[in-house]
Amino acid sequence: MEKNIEFKKSLGQNFIFDRNLLTAIAKDGGLGKDDVVLEIGAGAGTLTDVLADIAKEVIAFEIDTSLKPYLDKVQEKHDNLKIIYQDFMKADITTFIKSKAKVIANIPYYITTPIVFKLVDHIDMFDGILILVQKEVAIRFASPAKCKDYGITSVILQSIFDVDIPRIVKKECFTPAPKVDSALCRLIPHNRYNISDFSDFKDFVHLAFSMRRKTLVNNLKTKYDKDFLTNKLNELGLDERVRPEDVTVENYIKLFNFLK
Ligand code: SAM
């Protein structure tokens, strides 16, 4: 099949044909027979087919209608599959998904961050998200404080998800092979923290990391009173010279709730 496909680099088309790997990915996503799955970027339908073999229902988005002949073959096999030929970023997912769903997808890398933040905006719809992304991106998402990869997305994602990396997928597993290895990133919603306003919290984290080489107080003082900030940091046991990357997710939430 892969010999006949004209892969479009501009759409992030790096496909996986190894069924053992695809089955392992579905397992990493904890997929079961009662699950509704959202797949973003069905491609030639190889992962779609595995998902539809296991799950109750699969809703798969694909922007490239030239892949329809391949996806039609997968569609013929499964009554529980709905393929939507639309740009996922423009779609209103609430019209397609009516109950809690799992996301399992080998997503197009050129829009990783917009996809993740679209999913974050609909967090109540999902009980788990498993996405294949570039390895360095997965490491950033899962990174703990005090590590060089810890930053804005680490704090925002970990404030609402438990994030881990169940599997590295070598670049040779894709057709065509991309330049770098990939990793599965698993995001499981948790309700560990009470964040008074999530949209404001995201802005707060952006401001906190606006200048990475500056101290946290210097970044935040453009909006908040410096003495007040210093006092609150001290209450959290943090030094006023602390850097943005040295503050844990929990302390970011505490600080934000103090300042609200
Ligand atoms: N799931 C397939 C697999 O694992 O072999 C294909 C994965 S490939 C990395 C990503 C797929 O996303 C491509 O088929 C591409 O055409 C599709 N895609 C790219 N941008 C999209 C968008 N905005 N909305 C929906 N699908 C998109």
Side-chain angles (χ1 to χ4, degrees):
M1 174 194 345
E2 51 253 62
K3 290 198 186 73
N4 302 321
I5 300 175
E6 269 186 44
F7 296 99
K8 299 187 178 81
K9 211 175 165 188
S10 62
L11 290 177
Q13 292 184 350
N14 301 98
F15 292 0
I16 300 178
F17 293 94
D18 176 351
R19 199 170 166 95
N20 289 334
L21 173 58
L22 295 166
T23 306
I25 290 173
K27 278 216 182 95
D28 290 335
L31 191 61
K33 63 177 175 37
D34 297 324
D35 285 318
V36 176
V37 191
L38 168 66
E39 185 190 9
I40 303 146
T46 48
L47 177 60
T48 320
D49 187 37
V50 170
L51 299 175
D53 271 347
I54 302 170
K56 182 169 86 177
E57 191 186 345
V58 177
I59 295 130
F61 281 85
E62 177 51 60
I63 200 171
D64 182 0
T65 49
S66 77
L67 294 166
K68 196 167 180 303
Y70 304 98
L71 288 170
D72 281 346
K73 289 214 175 73
V74 180
Q75 179 71 84
E76 276 166 26
K77 285 174 63 186
H78 302 284
D79 292 341
N80 60 341
L81 168 63
K82 187 171 173 57
I83 300 170
I84 300 153
Y85 292 95
Q86 267 187 36
D87 179 346
F88 176 74
M89 291 314 302
K90 294 192 182 138
D92 175 3
I93 43 181
T94 59
T95 59
F96 302 102
I97 299 174
K98 298 292 177 198
S99 58
K100 278 255 182 193
K102 285 192 161 65
V103 177
I104 301 184
N106 172 15
I107 63 173
Y109 294 168
Y110 74 103
I111 44 172
T112 298
T113 305
I115 288 175
V116 168
F117 280 96
K118 182 162 182 162
L119 297 175
V120 165
D121 287 343
H122 294 86
I123 184 174
D124 292 341
M125 295 175 65
F126 305 113
D127 56 15
I129 297 172
L130 181 76
I131 46 175
L132 194 50
V133 298
Q134 288 184 343
K135 188 172 141 192
E136 72 216 42
V137 174
I139 290 171
R140 236 187 292 139
F141 288 177
S143 174
K146 301 185 170 72
C147 288
K148 72 172 177 28
D149 299 298
Y150 183 71
I152 294 169
T153 41
S154 332
V155 177
I156 292 175
L157 292 179
Q158 291 170 39
S159 72
I160 50 171
F161 295 113
D162 286 317
V163 185
D164 75 334
I165 300 175
R167 187 181 298 274
I168 303 294
V169 180
K170 295 296 229 183
K171 51 183 186 288
E172 298 78 24
C173 297
F174 298 85
T175 309
K179 288 204 173 69
V180 292
D181 290 339
S182 294
L184 275 174
C185 186
R186 184 162 51 194
L187 307 137
I188 307 292
H190 66 64
N191 280 317
R192 208 169 300 132
Y193 307 120
N194 177 22
I195 305 171
S196 50
D197 181 321
F198 190 61
S199 171
D200 282 357
F201 179 68
K202 285 190 281 188
D203 293 343
F204 172 74
V205 176
H206 275 97
L207 186 65
F209 280 89
S210 48
M211 303 276 257
R212 233 186 137 90
R213 303 174 106 202
K214 282 196 181 180
T215 63
L216 179 66
V217 169
N218 273 333
N219 283 336
L220 291 178
K221 76 175 188 203
T222 53
K223 188 164 173 201
Y224 302 97
D225 178 72
K226 192 176 173 192
D227 292 336
F228 186 68
L229 272 172
T230 310
N231 280 340
K232 291 300 168 196
L233 282 177
N234 290 341
E235 279 178 37
L236 292 172
L238 296 170
D239 190 276
E240 63 187 83
R241 287 160 303 175
V242 72
R243 305 224 160 241
E245 62 273 24
D246 293 329
V247 178
T248 61
V249 173
E250 189 173 1
N251 276 338
Y252 268 115
I253 294 164
K254 283 187 180 158
L255 189 61
F256 170 73
N257 287 341
F258 273 149
L259 295 170
K260 277 295 282 179

